[in-house]
Amino acid sequence: MAPMIYTLYGFAIFFFVFWCGIWILHLIAIFYGKYRLHSKVTPLVSDVPYPGVSIIKPLMGVDPHLFSNLETFFTMNYPKYELLFCIEDDTDPAIMLVKSLMEKYPKIDARLFIGAAIVGVNPKINNMHHAYEAAIYEFILISDSGIRMKEDTLQDMMNYMSDKTALVHQMPFSADRNGFAATLEKIYFGTAQSRIYLAADFVKINCHTGMSALIRKSVLDEEGGIKTFGCYLAEDFFIAKSFIDRGWKIRICSQPAIQNSGICDINSFQARLTRWAKLRVAMLPVVMFFEPLTECMVIGGCAAWAVGLLFQWDSLGFYLIHILVWFICDWVLLSIVQNGSLPFNKFDFVVGWLFRECSGPYLFLHALFDPTIRWRTRVYKLAWGGIAQEIKPRIKF
């Protein structure tokens, strides 16, 4: 009987300590976010020789916001950059859209690359390879199709590119859009994602996502170029890891990456979260044990049981207070990341927050029991370490 009691007390101590650690992450994210995000960008100086940037935009298909999103790259206030658009399929309607923007802004250096190389299983890497090889500047900005830029975003990113820095990335966030799915997306990226992202950047842990990343090209070329990472689906994580392993710094800039995809529904968003969870488990297997404990409802229940056993506190009361304080902290963090009024009211936030927090553990379990990854028209299987293999290769006619 005694060994069983010691085991229970051991679990209780572990859950309580882990719960305390999660609250430290909350505080770090709130204070670091307030300090780091939305800094005032220094105005451009006319006689300063700013380094050039090659912006690679991999595209596939057209959504209702694509034209306006891409147009923000033609209107940025930065003195020297080129736009390199990559489209795999020569029948893709995005080709005509890009050409129309190139005609509308003839003074912007822009080129279109049609057709993908085969350098690995990662379709994004294959799509970008020709543009990467043709890039003329030392700095490469890889930017997903759904990203919307402010006029000074590129300058903000360059301001954080020091001599010891090889990668500057934006923290993922989302644009203001209508509908419950848009509310859910903004809540997720402004709370659960931002909390981990900001805390990880504060303690210098690799948290890089590749949706908007400024890379020092010479450092990446020393690794063999972008094609070296074509064997991974999570190429962003492994690119950042290779830089860190060689002593380079990676940093986030002050402006979050504004995702503004014209396709916004709950099913596609949850499929996206599930795919990311599968990638994390394959890259870092320890995630399967600890990530569920970062969820509000899960760690709250474990901590409530723990304090009931260790301190004889009321477990139900503790659990309800835990959820309330977590909710308040998430509202504060989301307001910091938004840096302005939110596009929904507090009731919408309550509903969206509860839905996200209750569905999070389910999506993670679904990721564990179905390890295959579906990305657009392709299906992949991941091995431990993140190496990907395409199960159903796309047939080219």
Side-chain angles (χ1 to χ4, degrees), residues 290-305:
F290 291 104
E291 182 165 323
L293 294 179
T294 65
E295 296 285 353
C296 173
M297 303 302 177
V298 177
I299 188 59
C302 293
W305 169 79

Side-chain angles (χ1 to χ4, degrees), residues 52-84:
V53 180
S54 297
I55 302 174
I56 300 179
K57 295 288 295 184
L59 306 177
M60 177 180 285
V62 173
D63 68 51
H65 294 167
L66 183 61
F67 185 91
S68 61
N69 289 339
L70 295 184
E71 190 170 23
T72 63
F73 287 82
F74 285 86
T75 58
M76 290 188 301
N77 184 24
Y78 192 80
K80 188 193 300 185
Y81 67 92
E82 63 172 350
L83 293 172
L84 309 176

Side-chain angles (χ1 to χ4, degrees), residues 142-159:
I142 297 175
S143 176
D144 286 355
S145 61
I147 298 298
R148 186 176 186 88
M149 300 284 270
K150 296 180 180 179
E151 289 186 354
D152 58 357
T153 300
L154 182 55
Q155 184 189 352
D156 180 59
M157 298 182 78
M158 285 300 302
N159 287 345

Side-chain angles (χ1 to χ4, degrees), residues 68 119 126 134 136 142 161 174 220 224 229 239 250 261 309 311 320 333 349 354 357 365 379 384 395:
S68 61
V119 296
N126 291 337
I136 63 176
I142 297 175
M161 183 63 77
S174 63
L220 186 54
F229 301 90
I239 288 173
I250 66 172
S261 173
L309 179 64
F311 311 120
L320 294 176
L333 180 58
F349 176 74
L354 286 172
E357 295 299 333
L365 288 175
V379 181
W384 296 123
I395 299 174

